[in-house]
């Protein structure tokens, strides 16, 4: 968190508590206590504090991110997840992987600060205040969605009311009381907040792409209802999001533009990623594992993961190339820039729509579901390879949709959340297997590894509340 942000939060916390000594309320020279709407809106632009969504260990568990062989020699949290080691005590190992927890709760704290203080902010109309509060509610809801799908067992309607979730914090005051709510309580909270944001006037055109617009509100609700297996509502909100914005980026055009570099196996030039702030598919841009302070490179993926992309996928071909360095063979990223690995896009909505239509198809007519899927594929698959996909069963349709979705949304929380949802449902659960150096590894759908342990810093210093681990190890 940036020093200025920390200072402002501390000042506001003291003001809110009303118990700080007078000298603490004296504003340091060169600083200011935020009071205007513009002062509070600035918190939404501090992307280092409010805009990161690191989910490294979910990527390691899925084997979506390559881990160097030298990094697998010692027992670490990364190794335990990457090699699906159920005997590892991940609770003990989780003494350093705190980014997911603390960065997301830092963002939540900023949103809480905005929601507490914007109603009395100066130099603003009521409509302007409502808009800023709507942004904060959507961002806070997205952060909680990631947290509950990372540190708690996945949502199941029959057990969500008794399944332990994550701490719910609605105050920015230092040492404010918190409670580890159930998964159902958390989902109810985030759905209510998004709907309130929409009612408060979440704008069709937001201030910037890092301010979630109305389409983002609908898109987040579609994602949440899909995770709850409420397919009618997920379909409805995906449709509302696409009514706001439905553009898809033409990856074939991108491939043609940079084909001389892409097609040369010896060239590993860093190409400018189109998935940045200006990406036409964005509803809301949010950093994932990349830093907002400087451009980053595309994440490296394992050979086995690369093989799961569809033949002729221009998006894949434009992003990775096979490479061997010493003992490691992998697909290295050839893209560079800022990546929307934590936000919301039109592509996700097409694929949510496709799955929901497949699950609700009458008379085994999956044409509408395949139409939604093929709308995405037409902008991805090379013209000499592309053929529209068809399905005659729900299982076949789901398999095709899931393949595209896992590939399209790689490095986001979505493939991890989807895998947990499919595992809980049972019908389309998968057992994952791989062979490394002659040894076979397996990850079953009911493995405890699908829920990440809270970091030691959180459980040992829970503040004014308690945190109980949701996994045995």
């Amino acid at each position: 968190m940036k020093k200025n942000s920390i200072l402002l939060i501390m000042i506001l916390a003291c003001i809110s508590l009303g118990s700080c000594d007078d000298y603490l309320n004296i504003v340091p020279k060169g600083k200011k206590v935020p009071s205007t709407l513009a002062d509070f809106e600035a918190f939404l632009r501090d992307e280092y504090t409010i805009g990161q969504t690191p989910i490294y260990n979910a990527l390691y568990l899925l084997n979506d991110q390559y881990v160097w062989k030298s990094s697998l020699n010692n027992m670490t949290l990364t190794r335990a997840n990457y090699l699906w080691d159920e005997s590892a005590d991940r609770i003990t190992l989780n003494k350093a992987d705190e980014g997911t927890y603390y960065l997301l709760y830092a963002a939540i704290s900023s949103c809480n600060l905005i929601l507490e203080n914007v109603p009395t902010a100066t130099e603003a109309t009521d409509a302007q205040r409502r808009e800023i509060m709507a942004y904060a509610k959507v961002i806070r809801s997205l952060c909680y969605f990631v947290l509950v799908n990372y540190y708690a067992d996945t949502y199941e309607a029959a057990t969500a009311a008794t399944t332990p979730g994550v701490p719910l914090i609605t105050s920015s005051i230092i040492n404010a009381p918190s409670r580890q709510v159930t998964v159902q309580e958390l989902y109810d909270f985030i759905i209510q907040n998004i709907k309130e944001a929409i009612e408060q006037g979440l704008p069709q055109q937001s201030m910037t792409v890092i301010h979630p617009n109305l389409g983002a509100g609908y898109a987040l609700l579609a994602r949440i209802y899909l995770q709850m297996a409420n397919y009618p509502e997920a379909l409805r909100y995906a449709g509302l999001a696409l009514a706001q914005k439905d553009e898809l980026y033409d990856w074939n055009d991108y491939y043609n533009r940079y084909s001389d570099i892409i097609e040369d196996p010896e060239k590993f030039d860093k190409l400018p990623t189109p998935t940045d702030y200006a990406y036409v598919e964005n509803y809301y841009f949010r950093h994932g594992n990349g830093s907002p302070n400087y451009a980053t490179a595309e994440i490296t993926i394992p050979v086995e993961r690369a093989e799961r992309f569809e033949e002729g996928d221009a998006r894949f071909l434009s992003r990775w190339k096979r490479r061997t360095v010493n003992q490691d063979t992998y697909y290295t990223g050839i893209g560079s820039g800022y990546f929307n690995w934590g936000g919301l896009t039109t592509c996700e909505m097409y694929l949510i729509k496709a799955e929901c239509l497949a699950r609700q198809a009458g008379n085994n007519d999956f044409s509408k579901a395949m139409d939604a899927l093929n709308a995405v594929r037409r902008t991805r698959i090379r013209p000499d390879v592309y053929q529209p996909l068809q399905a005659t069963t729900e299982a076949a349709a789901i398999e095709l949709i899931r393949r595209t979705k896992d590939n399209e949304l790689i490095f986001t929380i979505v493939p991890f959340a989807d895998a947990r949802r499919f595992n809980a449902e049972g019908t389309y659960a998968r057992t994952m297997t791989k062979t490394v150096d002659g040894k076979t590894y397996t990850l079953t759908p009911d493995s405890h590894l699908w829920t990440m342990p809270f970091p030691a810093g959180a459980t040992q210093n829970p503040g004014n509340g308690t945190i109980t681990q949701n996994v045995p190890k």
Side-chain angles (χ1 to χ4, degrees):
M1 188 182 295
K2 294 182 178 178
K3 292 181 179 179
N4 285 349
S5 297
I6 294 174
L7 177 63
L8 290 175
I9 291 174
M10 290 178 66
I11 290 171
L12 281 168
C14 287
I15 292 171
S16 300
L17 285 168
S19 59
C20 293
D21 294 335
D22 288 342
Y23 70 87
L24 288 179
N25 288 324
I26 299 174
V27 182
K29 186 175 181 180
K31 307 297 180 182
K32 65 175 292 187
V33 175
S35 59
T36 70
L37 186 67
D39 292 335
F40 290 104
E41 189 274 322
F43 282 92
L44 297 174
R45 298 174 187 262
D46 180 7
E47 293 183 78
Y48 187 85
T49 299
I50 205 168
Q52 294 191 77
T53 317
I55 52 166
Y56 287 108
N57 277 288
L59 305 186
Y60 297 145
L61 190 77
L62 290 174
N63 278 209
D64 280 352
Q65 180 167 353
Y66 183 72
V67 176
W68 310 105
K69 288 189 175 182
S70 60
S71 299
L72 299 176
N73 294 330
N74 300 316
M75 179 54 72
T76 62
L77 183 63
T78 296
R79 182 186 185 280
N81 285 317
Y82 192 71
L83 294 182
W84 305 330
D85 185 355
E86 292 194 328
S87 68
D89 186 348
R90 296 184 304 158
I91 294 173
T92 300
L93 294 173
N94 196 9
K95 296 184 182 298
D97 179 47
E98 300 181 333
T100 305
Y101 189 88
Y102 286 113
L103 283 170
L104 286 168
Y105 273 110
I108 287 168
S109 180
S110 292
C111 291
N112 289 340
L113 185 148
I114 289 168
L115 292 168
E116 289 167 349
N117 291 278
V118 161
T120 58
T122 61
E123 300 181 23
T125 65
D126 287 341
Q128 290 170 330
R129 293 188 188 93
R130 287 194 298 270
E131 180 179 342
I132 301 303
M133 293 175 69
Y135 294 145
K137 285 185 176 181
V138 173
I139 294 172
R140 183 173 67 178
S141 296
L142 189 148
C143 292
Y144 272 126
F145 177 83
V146 175
L147 287 165
V148 76
N149 278 283
Y150 198 81
Y151 294 114
D153 291 347
T154 196
Y155 183 96
E156 294 186 71
T159 58
T162 56
T163 300
V166 299
L168 177 59
I169 304 172
T170 58
S171 173
S172 66
I173 296 174
I174 296 174
N175 209 36
S178 67
R179 184 169 65 92
Q180 187 174 353
V181 298
T182 67
V183 169
Q184 185 67 60
E185 288 176 292
L186 209 296
Y187 270 77
D188 289 344
F189 176 80
I190 58 181
I191 288 173
Q192 178 185 345
N193 271 246
I194 301 167
K195 290 183 175 179
E196 287 176 356
I198 292 170
E199 292 171 0
Q200 285 178 336
L202 197 63
Q204 291 182 311
Q205 181 65 49
S206 56
M207 287 183 170
T208 72
V209 73
I210 64 172
H211 296 74
N213 58 21
L214 180 58
Y218 290 142
L220 185 52
L221 283 171
R223 178 189 290 182
I224 292 164
Y225 279 120
L226 183 73
Q227 196 64 26
M228 298 171 73
N230 186 336
Y231 303 114
E233 283 298 274
L235 178 60
R236 183 167 78 89
Y237 280 106
L240 289 171
L242 290 169
Q244 292 291 314
K245 179 185 179 73
D246 64 359
E247 293 93 335
L248 289 167
Y249 183 78
D250 189 345
W251 279 91
N252 282 309
D253 179 67
Y254 181 90
Y255 180 98
N256 294 336
R257 204 181 324 153
Y258 296 103
S259 59
D260 58 329
I261 296 173
I262 293 169
E263 294 174 0
D264 188 333
E266 301 303 319
K267 284 187 176 180
F268 297 94
D269 305 47
K270 295 302 180 186
L271 302 177
T273 178
T275 63
D276 57 10
Y277 296 97
Y279 195 43
V280 70
E281 297 183 6
N282 290 338
Y283 292 115
Y284 167 54
F285 182 95
R286 185 179 179 85
H287 299 275
N289 294 320
S291 171
N293 291 345
Y294 49 82
T296 56
E298 188 78 73
I299 293 175
T300 297
I301 64 175
V303 172
E304 297 80 4
R305 181 64 184 85
E307 292 171 351
R308 298 208 298 271
F309 281 83
E310 187 175 350
E311 180 186 0
D313 188 334
R315 194 170 184 266
F316 166 74
L317 297 170
S318 300
R319 297 173 68 184
W320 293 282
K321 285 186 182 180
R322 188 180 176 115
R323 193 172 196 177
T324 298
V325 177
N326 298 323
Q327 62 179 337
D328 293 282
T329 298
Y330 50 89
Y331 274 76
T332 188
I334 58 173
S336 179
Y338 297 92
F339 301 88
N340 189 5
W341 290 327
L344 296 152
T345 64
T346 58
C347 178
E348 181 182 354
M349 293 305 104
Y350 276 97
L351 298 172
I352 288 177
K353 178 181 178 180
E355 181 181 342
C356 293
L357 287 171
R359 289 182 179 273
Q360 298 180 53
N363 301 318
N364 289 325
D365 181 4
F366 299 97
S367 58
K368 290 182 179 179
M370 292 297 100
D371 286 346
L373 172 60
N374 288 322
V376 173
R377 293 179 62 253
R378 274 193 298 272
T379 63
R380 272 57 172 171
I381 308 304
R382 300 297 294 153
D384 59 324
V385 176
Y386 175 80
Q387 291 291 331
L389 294 176
Q390 297 178 346
T392 57
T393 66
E394 179 182 291
I398 296 294
E399 183 66 22
L400 293 171
I401 294 163
R402 186 175 177 183
R403 175 183 64 176
T404 295
K405 193 177 182 187
D406 284 350
N407 292 336
E408 284 291 330
L409 299 174
I410 190 171
F411 309 142
T412 76
I413 191 64
V414 172
F416 180 69
D418 275 353
R420 287 158 42 96
R421 173 170 59 88
F422 285 119
N423 289 343
E425 178 189 30
T427 306
Y428 304 116
R430 290 177 180 170
T431 294
M432 299 174 65
T433 61
K434 67 177 178 181
T435 301
V436 179
D437 295 333
K439 183 176 180 180
T440 300
Y441 297 87
T442 302
L443 178 64
T444 60
D446 60 353
S447 173
H448 69 270
L449 297 177
W450 287 105
T451 298
M452 298 298 163
F454 288 117
T459 56
Q460 295 171 9
N461 300 286
N464 191 3
T466 58
I467 300 176
T468 302
Q469 284 287 1
N470 292 325
V471 287
K473 57 185 178 180

